[in-house]
Amino acid sequence: MDVIIRPDTASAVKLTARLIADAINAKPDFKLGLATGGTMEAVYAELAAMNRAGQVDFSLVRTFNLDEYIGLPADDPNSYRYYMNHHLFDHVNIDPRNTHLPDGMATDEEAEAEAYEAAMADAGGIDLQLLGIGNDGHIGFNEPLSSFSSRTSARYLTPETYRQNCVYFNPPESMPRRAFTMGVGTILDARRIVMLITGSRKAAIAARAIEGPLTSMVTGSAVQLHPDAVVILDAEAAAGLTCREYCDDAFNNDPKWAAYR
Ligand code: F6R
């Protein structure tokens, strides 16, 4: 696992967007796994700016999002479909038919989850999965106790996730308590993982995910199992890491990061 610490949020975001853009440019029919949430808004703004500047082409890219609230239609401003349209898809040259999220209104939840897994497999699997991390350590909506071998399915959200996300809803109590999410096993199948963690609020959980024991109580710790994972943090989010000296030394001197310094 590569852990890269940038001095501020803006440079952590820029590095994340550049890694994604370079990967797309190297393989135009790229399969990109996407996340939502506050952390990712700046990444999508950066990718949209790079697209406008002709630095990345989404015309053949296919996307699969990690998760979607159950019970919200696509046009609900709190649905993740709406978020993705608003923050990324409406601003880049992607074919909307190539963008995928679970259908939060599906009546047969098991069939929807199976179809989502099948769509990813039919596409040839995810080349790069973008991840954030929740206050409770979740990736996607894999709440504490989610199995590391779990697949896409409907889940019940924790009180911590409710407190984290209900601020976006009006009234807050209207936030759905259930969501579809790719499983931890689904996420680990991606060929590369890029996780972005920013802000002091995430410092404690970042340290548990990156340096702590593998545990389903912090599903973000599963990234330690992935053979090609890079975790990018700003200085505030990295404050609790004991590996900071090594991380900085590796980023500043390992030739594989030369283009990104
Ligand atoms: C959402 C998702 C979540 C978020 C996490 C962090 O698609 O995958 O795991 O990445 O809840 O959210 P923010 O960035 O709002 O702190």
Side-chain angles (χ1 to χ4, degrees):
M1 184 167 69
D2 289 301
V3 177
I4 299 177
I5 303 162
R6 305 309 291 138
D8 50 42
T9 308
S11 44
V13 163
K14 261 194 193 323
L15 175 59
T16 304
R18 273 195 64 199
L19 286 176
I20 294 169
D22 286 354
I24 291 172
N25 290 335
K27 184 186 176 195
D29 64 337
F30 204 71
K31 314 305 176 313
L32 180 59
L34 294 170
T36 57
T39 310
M40 296 307 157
E41 290 179 16
V43 175
Y44 297 143
E46 183 69 21
L47 284 171
M50 293 177 86
N51 184 244
R52 273 195 303 278
Q55 292 163 354
V56 60
D57 176 13
F58 283 85
S59 59
L60 297 177
V61 172
R62 274 190 267 175
T63 65
F64 291 88
N65 265 77
L66 285 166
D67 41 21
E68 179 60 285
Y69 288 112
I70 290 178
L72 296 190
D75 60 358
D76 187 301
N78 281 305
S79 74
Y80 285 163
R81 161 56 75 182
Y82 189 97
Y83 170 108
M84 288 310 307
N85 289 345
H86 181 70
H87 288 290
L88 185 66
F89 302 150
D90 289 349
H91 308 287
V92 297
N93 67 331
I94 198 163
D95 182 340
R97 289 169 304 184
N98 288 341
T99 66
H100 305 277
L101 290 93
D103 176 4
M105 298 303 284
T107 45
D108 186 337
E109 294 177 359
E110 244 171 76
E112 176 62 17
E114 272 172 34
Y116 202 63
E117 286 275 340
M120 286 184 277
D122 286 351
I126 304 291
D127 291 305
L128 184 156
Q129 179 64 55
L130 180 62
L131 293 178
I133 191 166
N135 294 345
D136 67 359
H138 70 210
I139 48 175
F141 273 137
N142 289 280
E143 302 290 42
L145 303 177
S146 299
S147 161
F148 280 10
S149 56
S150 55
R151 310 300 303 185
T152 303
S153 58
R155 311 290 177 83
Y156 189 73
L157 306 177
T158 59
E160 181 58 40
T161 296
Y162 173 72
R163 284 190 288 272
Q164 178 188 317
N165 288 2
C166 73
V167 294
Y168 298 112
F169 289 78
N170 186 16
E173 308 80 58
S174 64
M175 177 182 149
R177 293 302 301 267
R178 298 173 68 246
F180 286 112
T181 182
M182 289 187 200
V184 180
T186 318
I187 292 168
L188 291 177
D189 281 350
R191 285 181 271 281
R192 189 169 210 211
I193 284 177
V194 174
M195 178 183 252
L196 174 64
I197 314 178
T198 59
S200 55
R201 185 169 62 92
K202 297 283 177 67
I205 200 67
R208 288 181 71 194
I210 294 165
E211 297 183 346
L214 289 173
T215 171
S216 65
M217 286 303 289
V218 180
T219 57
S221 67
V223 297
Q224 295 176 37
L225 290 170
H226 197 278
D228 188 5
V230 48
V231 185
I232 299 166
L233 306 100
D234 64 9
E236 285 188 353
L241 296 180
T242 60
C243 64
R244 274 178 293 168
E245 186 190 7
Y246 172 56
C247 298
D248 289 344
D249 191 32
F251 183 67
N252 291 325
N253 295 296
D254 189 332
K256 77 175 174 181
W257 296 116
Y260 296 97
R261 292 197 273 270

